Amino acid sequence: MDSFYIKDASKYVGKEVTVKGWLYNKRSSGKVNFLLIRDGTGIIQSVAVRSEIPDEEFKLFDKITQESSIIVSGVIGEDSRAPGGYELSLKHIEIVQISEPYPISPKEHGVSFLMNKRHLWLRSKKQHAILRIRAEVINAVRDFFNNEGFILVDTPILTPCACEGTTTLFETEYFGEKAYLTQTGQLYNEATCMAFGKVYCFGPTFRAEKSKTRRHITEFWQVEPEIAYAELKDIMDYAEKVIVYIVERVLEKRKDDLITIERNIKPLENIKSPFPKITYSEAVKLINEKGSYFEWGDDFGAPQETLISDSFDKPIHISHFPTKVKPFYMKRAPEDEKLALGVDVLAPEGYGEIVGGGQREENLEILEKRLKEDNLPRKAFEWYLDLRRYGSVPHAGFGLGIERVTTWICGIHHIRESIAFPRLLDSIYP
Ligand code: 4AD
Ligand code: MG
């Protein structure tokens, strides 16, 4: 017999099926017992009537505790009163394991309790829906870049050099040498784009973020495209296109999950091109006009990002940042040496930066000077400088944070729920 999954119940009306799953909840009205069973793809109400099931199996009902693993079989029927619209009339119940008293009950628990039980919390409806949406976000980014002719080239996780500043490095020992967990695949993407033209990498990246915020985790997943012969405007275009594509895909494939987590879908339906484009200087002006004092030259923090994004109902591009708030590799604007050709995309609804990227400095002498100014070890970057020695061309790319995007699309408060096992400043367990 084919394996049956609850999500396919509509195709099996009138047929006998076997569900291998776990008990989500149960109730009884004496003669009739109701078991809510989940199998990872959905939840189905199963009905055990005394006369239709062997007596000893009917009696198992009292023993089955929440999250016990069970295998049941019965006939699928339509029933508009049942959650999901389908019901299973049970013929057999088999217990695989009786669960010990389950620590997560339908009553409210505090977040720190739930975070400690994250390995179990994943089974609950809301967390389950969020992680399915995350999976769709990932499918969408892969499809988008593959369809646009990008080649996936994986970049290393253990690296000898810092890219996004030296304050957030996780250091480790590598056979007598210092190594770091990568902050970004970018530097390697710059090499592979010179070999393949359009590339992307997708993998975990690490930042030893010392601050506790609802937008930062220390291990997060980035998709990073990089394009040879591209300029700032080209990658702004791609960033916008991929965001529109992701949102469309989630709305198309995961609307049921958005409904489960009570996400207001209206603002997501509005995510269409074109997105507004402003410069850093215009953003500073906007913040000051809104009555919050902000000095030109500083980097935006969460409060400024929220003020800016509150003025728009779509993601917004902010470009031309002061060079001193951006990394050494960013190309300077030809018209003004104080400005970097970088872009951040802020999500609407106060979710902050979801994309960071820009055009790279392609000139050898300028880059050598920057490394010196930033006190970066020349030896670790020698290979990177080679890219400016052998056929250097203008190029640009960006990184999109999967958890930031998932958090925004799900409309959840904290980034920690957008990944199965978040790594935070104060927790590496479970
Ligand atoms: O803006 P960032 O630091 O840019 C880079 O790493 C570039 N080298 C990428 C590139 O051009 N290839 O990070 C890119 C994105 C951010 O916009 C954000 O979405 C996410 O990565 N991000 C984080 N997400 C969760 N927790 C953190 N601590 C994050 N830091 C960055
Ligand atoms: Mg950034």
Side-chain angles (χ1 to χ4, degrees), residues 27-35 45-54 57-59 61 72 87-93:
R27 66 193 164 84
S28 173
S29 68
K31 275 203 255 25
V32 185
N33 291 336
F34 294 94
L35 298 172
Q45 173 166 289
S46 318
V47 192
V49 180
R50 190 181 286 277
S51 57
E52 287 172 21
I53 204 165
E57 290 182 34
F58 189 83
K59 283 188 199 137
F61 179 84
V72 300
E87 198 175 69
L88 195 61
S89 301
L90 288 179
K91 290 188 168 176
H92 289 289
I93 302 175

Side-chain angles (χ1 to χ4, degrees), residues 163-164 168 183-187 189-190 201 205-209 211 213-226 235 326-327 329-330 343-345 352-360 396-405 415 418 423:
C163 182
E164 300 297 323
T168 61
Q183 298 168 307
T184 166
Q186 180 195 318
L187 302 184
N189 272 348
E190 290 184 52
C201 64
T205 49
F206 306 84
R207 309 264 167 103
E209 303 278 0
S211 57
T213 83
R214 62 193 184 93
R215 292 178 182 174
H216 291 91
I217 41 184
T218 59
E219 180 178 312
F220 61 98
W221 288 66
Q222 262 193 92
V223 61
E224 299 180 79
E226 190 77 27
I235 55 123
K326 290 294 178 192
Y329 55 70
M330 246 184 222
V343 63
D344 282 2
V345 179
E353 180 193 328
I354 49 176
V355 162
Q359 194 169 331
R360 325 305 188 188
F398 65 85
L400 173 145
I402 295 293
E403 293 77 17
R404 293 272 179 92
V405 168
I415 195 166
S418 68
R423 296 292 167 245

Side-chain angles (χ1 to χ4, degrees), residues 17 33 53 95 191 236 242 247 280:
V17 298
N33 291 336
I53 204 165
I95 290 173
M236 288 168 76
V242 72
V247 173
Y280 169 88

Side-chain angles (χ1 to χ4, degrees), residues 110-377:
V111 172
S112 70
F113 173 84
L114 290 168
M115 270 324 229
N116 273 323
K117 296 272 181 274
R118 184 67 176 162
H119 48 296
L120 302 176
W121 191 20
L122 301 176
R123 303 179 189 189
S124 69
K125 260 193 198 159
K126 183 179 170 202
Q127 300 307 315
H128 190 257
I130 293 168
L131 291 179
R132 281 157 55 100
I133 292 168
R134 174 196 168 97
E136 197 57 48
V137 169
I138 292 171
N139 289 341
V141 295
R142 285 187 189 283
D143 287 348
F144 177 85
F145 288 112
N146 292 338
N147 292 340
E148 290 279 345
F150 286 72
I151 302 287
L152 172 73
V153 188
D154 296 316
T155 53
I157 287 173
L158 288 168
T159 70
C161 35
C163 182
E164 300 297 323
T166 48
T167 56
T168 61
L169 284 172
F170 279 113
E171 192 179 306
T172 179
E173 199 257 0
Y174 193 77
F175 306 115
E177 279 194 61
K178 262 190 199 168
Y180 309 99
L181 297 184
T182 192
Q183 298 168 307
T184 166
Q186 180 195 318
L187 302 184
Y188 295 93
N189 272 348
E190 290 184 52
T192 60
C193 88
M194 299 303 164
F196 298 92
K198 295 204 284 187
V199 297
Y200 73 103
C201 64
F202 176 57
T205 49
F206 306 84
R207 309 264 167 103
E209 303 278 0
K210 315 273 180 341
S211 57
K212 257 192 188 180
T213 83
R214 62 193 184 93
R215 292 178 182 174
H216 291 91
I217 41 184
T218 59
E219 180 178 312
F220 61 98
W221 288 66
Q222 262 193 92
V223 61
E224 299 180 79
E226 190 77 27
I227 311 171
Y229 287 106
E231 297 179 357
L232 178 63
K233 64 173 178 1
D234 304 312
I235 55 123
M236 288 168 76
D237 243 30
Y238 271 113
E240 182 163 323
K241 274 202 205 153
V242 72
I243 293 166
V244 169
Y245 186 82
I246 294 168
V247 173
E248 267 174 9
R249 269 283 285 272
V250 172
L251 284 171
E252 182 197 325
K253 303 245 182 184
R254 290 283 169 246
K255 205 172 233 166
D256 49 343
D257 290 314
L258 291 170
I259 291 166
T260 298
I261 60 178
E262 296 174 358
R263 172 61 156 125
N264 180 4
I265 285 171
K266 275 265 152 55
L268 294 179
E269 287 171 338
N270 195 36
I271 308 305
K272 299 257 156 49
S273 278
F275 298 168
K277 295 184 171 78
I278 63 172
T279 61
Y280 169 88
S281 298
E282 286 164 343
V284 170
K285 196 160 156 247
L286 185 77
I287 295 165
N288 284 293
E289 276 166 10
K290 288 193 153 192
S292 172
Y293 178 74
F294 187 81
E295 193 139 358
W296 195 99
D298 290 340
D299 202 2
F300 298 140
Q304 288 80 34
E305 287 185 353
T306 303
L307 266 181
I308 300 163
S309 70
D310 278 352
S311 303
F312 304 92
D313 56 4
K314 288 181 187 182
I316 165 173
H317 300 267
I318 306 177
S319 65
H320 296 80
F321 286 83
T323 50
K324 76 168 174 103
V325 304
K326 290 294 178 192
F328 74 96
Y329 55 70
M330 246 184 222
K331 191 175 169 66
R332 296 194 176 167
E335 70 279 7
D336 187 347
E337 274 285 293
K338 288 194 301 302
L339 300 179
L341 294 179
V343 63
D344 282 2
V345 179
L346 307 188
E349 301 175 80
Y351 282 91
E353 180 193 328
I354 49 176
V355 162
Q359 194 169 331
R360 325 305 188 188
E361 179 53 65
E362 77 267 26
N363 178 283
L364 178 64
E365 287 75 34
I366 298 176
L367 210 50
E368 285 175 321
K369 203 170 119 225
R370 297 269 177 74
L371 285 175
K372 247 194 213 129
E373 283 166 7
D374 280 16
N375 281 323
L376 290 164

